[in-house]
Structure formats: C-alpha cells, structure tokens
C-alpha cells in the first residue's frame, strides 16, 4: 500500500511528461507571447525610486535662483543621459508674478527618437519657494523640500527610465521634467489680478516651444504628488475632459494590477497643473495622476501640501511602487 501511494503520482508525472511534452511546449510559447504583449510584469523597484526622491531632496529646496536648483538640474540631466538615448536641457527665462526673471530649465530625455509612436511622461522638478499653506505663521515664507510635491513624480519617472534602459521597448518615450511649476503667487499676495497662469511656467513655455519642431505624442502622463502614504488618485477633471481614453486605460491597468483602492472610479476636481497647458497649447492628450483625496481635511491635495512637512519622512516607497507599476505597465503594453 505504502509503495503504491508513492508510485502512483510518480507514474502520473512521467506519463504526463512524455505524452504532453509537445502540447505543453506549445502552450508555453503562446503564454510567453502573451506575456510580452498583454501581461507585462513590472520590475519597478521602489527602493531605487525612493533613492531618486531622496537624492533630489538632499540638495535642499530646488527653488529657482538657488545653488540647490542648479545642482539638482545637473543631477537630473546626468540621470537622463545615463538611461535615455539622448538628453537635453531646454533653457528659457521665466517672469514670475513678482516681476522677477529667472533662468529656468526644462530637462528632457528621449528614448527611440525615430519612432513616431511616442508617449510623454512628465513631472515638475522645482520646489515651492514658500510654505504658504503651513499652519505656523513663521513658516509661511520658508522654502519647502517638495519631497512629494515635485520630487516624487520625478523619482518615479527616473526609475521608469532605468527600467526602460533595461527593457529596451521599441516605443518612443519622452521624459520632461518641467521647471517653474511651483512659483505661483504667494497665498497672502493673491488679488483680483491673479489668474492662475502664474503657475506652471515651464510647461507653458515648452507647450508653446516644444524641444523638436511640431512635436507630437500619442498621449502624455503627468505625475504630481504620488509619494505620500495611502494616496488616492481621482480622475482629475481636465484629464477627463481632454484625455478620457487615457484615463480609462490607466485606471483599468491599475485595477488589473490590484491597485483599485488607490485608483477608484471617481472623478475629482480640475487642477491647474502642467498637463493643462500641454493639452491646451501642444494639443497632446495628457492626464494628471495627482493625489486628490476628497476625504482629507484640506479638501483635495495631500495633507502637507505647501507646508514644511512636505519632506522625505512623508514619502512611502509603496506608493512610488504602485504608480511606477501602473505607468510602466501602460507604456510596455503599448
Ligand atoms: C494650484 O493650486 C494653483 N496649482 C496646483 C498645482 C500644483 C502646485 N501642483 C503642485 N503644486
Ligand atoms: Zn506645489
């Protein structure tokens, strides 16, 4: 009896091994083809993405006109030169709401420059010069680290760039790190002349003067504040207006990956952010993946938005992984 018990499964395995060998091999090939086409498995590394966020924050607040801003630009260009096929800096002068003019830099990396099918991935790399939403009045003119507001999106995209340098897909991918997103009017200085166009100066410049003449992409994805603990990404309203098909693709991918809790089927408020100008001037359908949790106290953005608390301690590698997996999978499934 004892012997029978052991022999039976072995015989079964042997019989199956010889008789099903051909069929099984065939099945494997079909599965592999499907794997590369529709079931890409993301190896996005959250520790690597976290390090990319920390390295930016370690320069200090990346406020235009400061040494930290200059050093961070060098760092970001170096990373894109390493991972992409080419990388360039688009220099421009930006006039902010105070009338001051700053030398500014959009930092751009290009994968597969000759492919006409392209996707644009972007985030802003500057950090806000003032914590004007800080509850402590003493902090209201203190520059912020912008670990979440700025560095998180850039960190996720740098890790995607590193993954693409390994995966080498055929699709064209352009990465743009926009400067001068966050130099908008200080809360205490808003008046009837404030329009909202004081923000997102880097994307406004690029959308009117793209780095290549007549630049087009199939669609764009902007990341903004993607690194806080337990983020909720609602379907931001401008994104729904300009690029509903991109939203549906991203939210479906997130659901397939088991990330529905972070990407619920819910529409959020419109946000005046870089993607608006890419849609409006460059006419590239672009969505904003932005932490918009209507259940939080301050209405929509993440809790420590434009406060001195937006530092590295608020970054959760798990959140970087969620967003990185989703965006990398969307790109690789194209
Ligand atoms: C305003 O609320 C004016 N802009 C939101 C865009 C933004 C600022 N994202 C990060 N910082
Ligand atoms: Zn901001």
């Amino acid at each position: 009896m004892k012997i029978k018990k052991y022999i039976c499964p072995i015989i079964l395995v042997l019989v199956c091994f010889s008789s099903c060998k051909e069929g099984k091999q065939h099945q494997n090939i079909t599965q592999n083809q499907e794997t590369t086409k529709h079931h890409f498995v993301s190896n996005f590394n959250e520790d690597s993405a976290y390090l990319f966020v920390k390295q930016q924050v370690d320069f200090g607040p990346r406020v235009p006109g400061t040494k930290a801003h200059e050093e961070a630009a060098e760092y970001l260009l170096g990373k894109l030169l390493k991972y992409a096929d080419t990388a360039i800096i688009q220099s421009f002068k930006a006039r902010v709401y105070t009338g001051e003019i700053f030398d500014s830099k959009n930092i751009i990396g290009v994968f597969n420059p000759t492919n006409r099918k392209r996707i644009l991935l972007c985030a802003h790399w500057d950090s806000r010069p003032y914590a004007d939403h800080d509850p402590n009045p003493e902090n209201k003119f203190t520059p912020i680290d912008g670990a979440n507001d700025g560095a998180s999106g850039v960190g996720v995209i740098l890790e995607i760039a590193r993954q693409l340098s390994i995966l080498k897909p055929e699709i064209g991918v352009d990465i743009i790190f926009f400067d001068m997103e966050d130099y908008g009017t200080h809360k205490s200085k808003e008046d009837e002349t404030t329009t909202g166009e004081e923000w997102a100066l880097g994307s406004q410049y690029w959308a009117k003067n793209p780095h290549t003449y007549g630049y087009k992409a199939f669609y764009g994805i902007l990341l903004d504040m993607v690194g806080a603990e337990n983020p909720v990404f609602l379907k931001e309203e401008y994104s729904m207006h300009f690029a509903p098909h991109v939203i549906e693709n991203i939210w479906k991918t997130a659901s397939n990956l088991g990330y529905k809790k972070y990407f619920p089927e819910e529409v959020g408020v419109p946000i005046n952010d870089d993607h608006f100008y890419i849609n409006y001037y460059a006419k590239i359908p672009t969505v904003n993946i932005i932490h918009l949790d209507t259940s939080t106290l301050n209405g929509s953005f993440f809790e420590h938005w434009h406060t001195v608390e937006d530092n590295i301690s608020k970054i959760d590698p798990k959140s970087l992984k969620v967003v990185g997996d989703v965006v990398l999978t969307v790109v690789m499934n194209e």
Side-chain angles (χ1 to χ4, degrees):
M1 276 308 272
K2 236 183 175 182
I3 294 172
K4 231 183 173 180
K5 246 187 183 172
Y6 284 105
I7 285 177
C8 267
I10 291 169
I11 291 173
L12 262 175
V13 168
L14 284 176
V15 167
C16 195
F17 191 70
S18 51
S19 65
C20 311
K21 212 175 160 193
E22 259 192 15
K24 257 210 155 161
Q25 258 180 8
H26 179 70
Q27 216 178 42
N28 278 345
I29 289 166
T30 331
Q31 268 178 2
N32 280 343
Q33 278 172 348
E34 278 202 358
T35 303
T36 45
K37 255 191 145 175
H38 299 292
H39 299 289
F40 167 75
V41 177
S42 164
N43 271 326
F44 184 96
N45 186 312
E46 65 263 51
D47 299 325
S48 171
Y50 181 87
L51 186 64
F52 291 144
V53 175
K54 184 167 186 308
Q55 285 170 337
Q56 293 172 75
V57 170
D58 283 346
F59 290 113
R62 285 125 9 251
V63 172
T66 67
K67 190 161 163 265
H69 184 263
E70 255 172 55
E71 288 173 350
E74 280 302 308
Y75 162 84
L76 295 172
L77 178 65
K79 289 289 176 209
L80 291 182
L81 282 170
K82 181 170 174 187
Y83 299 130
D85 294 319
T86 58
I88 55 156
I89 284 190
Q90 180 185 51
S91 298
F92 61 101
K93 293 206 188 285
R95 189 181 184 278
V96 301
Y97 74 100
T98 58
E100 272 178 289
I101 292 172
F102 289 98
D103 285 321
S104 311
K105 293 178 167 125
N106 291 329
I107 305 167
I108 302 171
V110 180
F111 292 83
N112 300 325
T114 57
N115 195 335
R116 289 188 59 221
K117 183 166 183 184
R118 318 199 59 76
I119 295 173
L120 171 62
L121 304 178
C122 48
H124 77 88
W125 71 271
D126 61 313
S127 60
R128 181 134 177 89
Y130 353 86
D132 51 348
H133 280 256
D134 203 285
N136 180 352
E138 280 179 25
N139 292 338
K140 287 196 189 286
F141 283 87
T142 306
I144 67 167
D145 281 351
N148 198 27
D149 188 356
S152 68
V154 171
V156 166
I157 293 175
L158 281 180
E159 172 58 9
I160 289 174
R162 195 180 72 85
Q163 293 292 328
L164 293 178
S165 76
I166 299 164
L167 294 161
K168 301 193 191 314
E170 271 178 30
I171 189 155
V173 176
D174 301 291
I175 288 172
I176 308 186
F177 296 141
F178 291 116
D179 201 355
M180 280 290 177
E181 192 276 338
D182 237 347
Y183 219 114
T185 315
H186 190 280
K187 200 168 172 259
S188 70
K189 312 235 156 121
E190 286 176 349
D191 59 26
E192 61 287 346
T193 68
T194 308
T195 64
E197 284 164 72
E198 303 81 12
W199 302 78
L201 300 180
S203 55
Q204 291 192 51
Y205 181 84
W206 179 84
K208 294 173 190 170
N209 310 276
H211 61 290
T212 55
Y213 180 77
Y215 175 84
K216 279 284 168 245
F218 272 49
Y219 59 84
I221 301 174
L222 171 68
L223 305 184
D224 195 3
M225 299 188 268
V226 294
E229 196 184 5
N230 285 321
V232 178
F233 306 110
L234 301 183
K235 299 175 172 180
E236 186 269 339
E237 207 175 308
Y238 287 132
S239 308
M240 283 301 285
H241 175 79
F242 287 110
H245 59 295
V246 184
I247 288 281
E248 292 318 317
N249 183 22
I250 292 172
W251 261 249
K252 202 168 157 215
T253 304
S255 166
N256 289 341
L257 293 173
Y259 295 149
K260 223 177 163 59
K261 110 175 205 226
Y262 305 102
F263 289 81
E265 295 293 330
E266 198 181 325
V267 175
V269 291
I271 304 296
N272 177 18
D273 209 340
D274 293 317
H275 70 310
F276 178 81
Y277 299 102
I278 303 172
N279 281 296
Y280 191 76
Y281 292 119
K283 307 259 185 292
I284 296 165
T286 301
V287 303
N288 192 4
I289 299 181
I290 183 168
H291 189 149
L292 275 184
D293 186 351
T294 46
S295 68
T296 56
L297 263 178
N298 73 341
S300 56
F301 293 137
F302 102 108
E303 210 185 329
H304 305 288
W305 181 66
H306 293 184
T307 75
V308 297
E309 293 300 313
D310 181 3
N311 56 39
I312 195 70
S313 75
K314 303 303 182 303
I315 299 299
D316 184 348
K318 166 76 190 169
S319 307
L320 305 176
K321 168 85 176 149
V322 166
V323 175
D325 279 345
V326 170
V327 176
L328 183 60
T329 304
V330 165
V331 171
M332 292 304 294
N333 282 344
E334 278 300 333

